[in-house]
Amino acid sequence: GAGVSQSPRYKVAKRGQDVALRCDPISGHVSLFWYQQALGQGPEFLTYFQNEAQLDKSGLPSDRFFAERPEGSVSTLKIQRTQQEDSAVYLCASSSTGTNQPQHFGDGTRLSIL
Amino acid sequence: QKEVEQNSGPLSVPEGAIASLNCTYSDRGSQSFFWYRQYSGKSPELIMFIYSNGDKEDGRFTAQLNKASQYVSLLIRDSQPSDSATYLCAVNGPDYGQNFVFGPGTRLSVLP
């Protein structure tokens, strides 16, 4: 597709359940990023992939959060044993190779933990 | 701790006026600066990016960068009600890895 695609758009889960969020980046984009955005705040960095390699996961808030990009294209962010504080919008962004390139965002997944 | 600060607003301007949005950052090593527009419930949309000191113009938008003073601004000329949104400033540099550090955003309201 032409842009970054994320699914599902909305996800409601009960506390303690596991969830998986999917991101399909712009075709040919080497770099892929996950961000978490709380209401009224700017996006906060979670993790970064260059192709299939996860080069930075310093923003993941706990070991319940796990991300992968096994074939260097589609990425999945998994949250295990969800907690209410995990409720947020999860944004995926991609950029072409090279440093300092603009990032292009998907529409996000709004996650609500009950 | 790398920080990016913005006035949360709301900033209200009348239709047709110039809206001025400001952003300051703490890391002197920052090299790349981006402005995103985010409508309520939507994803951030890239408006402009700037790497060098000075002004960069694109249509009604002008980005201004002053690395010595560690601020970057966005001017919107001839503001329209459709410009009403939250504007996010994002900063990147060699010490950030590849990720951006975002400010909290400034909410702009253009009044008809």
Side-chain angles (χ1 to χ4, degrees):
Chain A
V4 178
S5 178
Q6 292 188 247
S7 61
R9 288 296 316 279
Y10 304 93
K11 176 68 177 179
V12 179
K14 293 182 179 179
R15 188 162 53 104
Q17 288 183 329
D18 298 348
V19 298
L21 313 180
R22 175 190 167 101
C23 173
D24 195 347
I26 293 172
S27 179
H29 275 193
V30 169
S31 301
L32 184 147
F33 307 81
W34 284 98
Y35 291 86
Q36 181 189 61
Q37 187 173 26
L39 190 64
Q41 300 296 317
E44 296 269 351
F45 170 76
L46 294 177
T47 187
Y48 156 64
F49 291 86
Q50 183 170 314
N51 295 307
E52 68 279 4
Q54 188 175 20
L55 299 185
D56 187 348
K57 54 181 181 179
S58 61
L60 296 177
S62 79
D63 59 7
R64 296 186 294 105
F65 287 71
F66 171 76
E68 60 182 3
R69 193 187 185 196
E71 298 179 357
S73 178
V74 171
S75 176
T76 303
L77 176 66
K78 298 179 180 178
I79 310 174
Q80 298 176 325
R81 305 181 304 281
T82 53
Q83 303 293 316
Q84 283 193 324
E85 62 263 27
D86 300 335
S87 297
V89 175
Y90 291 85
L91 294 166
C92 177
S94 70
S95 68
S96 60
T97 189
T99 59
N100 303 331
Q101 295 302 305
Q103 295 180 17
H104 301 274
F105 284 83
D107 286 337
T109 294
R110 183 176 298 276
L111 176 64
S112 297
I113 305 301
L114 305 179
Chain B
Q1 179 74 14
K2 300 176 178 63
E3 294 182 347
V4 178
E5 296 185 353
Q6 298 179 253
N7 188 322
S8 62
L11 172 66
S12 295
V13 299
E15 183 175 357
I18 296 175
S20 178
L21 305 162
N22 298 314
C23 171
T24 59
Y25 57 94
S26 62
D27 187 1
R28 285 194 171 276
S30 303
Q31 293 183 341
S32 308
F33 307 87
F34 304 83
W35 282 100
Y36 286 84
R37 176 176 65 196
Q38 187 172 30
Y39 293 112
S40 181
K42 301 294 185 181
S43 63
E45 173 192 7
L46 181 68
I47 297 296
M48 292 198 68
F49 56 92
I50 186 168
Y51 301 144
S52 303
N53 274 330
D55 295 359
K56 179 181 179 182
E57 186 175 318
D58 183 1
R60 295 187 297 113
F61 300 97
T62 298
Q64 299 176 319
L65 175 61
N66 184 322
K67 290 187 178 180
S69 300
Q70 296 177 238
Y71 82 80
V72 55
S73 61
L74 179 70
L75 301 179
I76 307 175
R77 289 182 299 282
D78 189 23
S79 296
Q80 301 297 309
S82 59
D83 295 326
S84 298
T86 295
Y87 288 80
L88 297 163
C89 172
V91 175
N92 179 251
D95 293 336
Y96 295 71
Q98 292 288 332
N99 60 291
F100 290 178
V101 177
F102 281 86
T106 296
R107 191 154 54 93
L108 173 67
S109 178
V110 180
L111 306 175

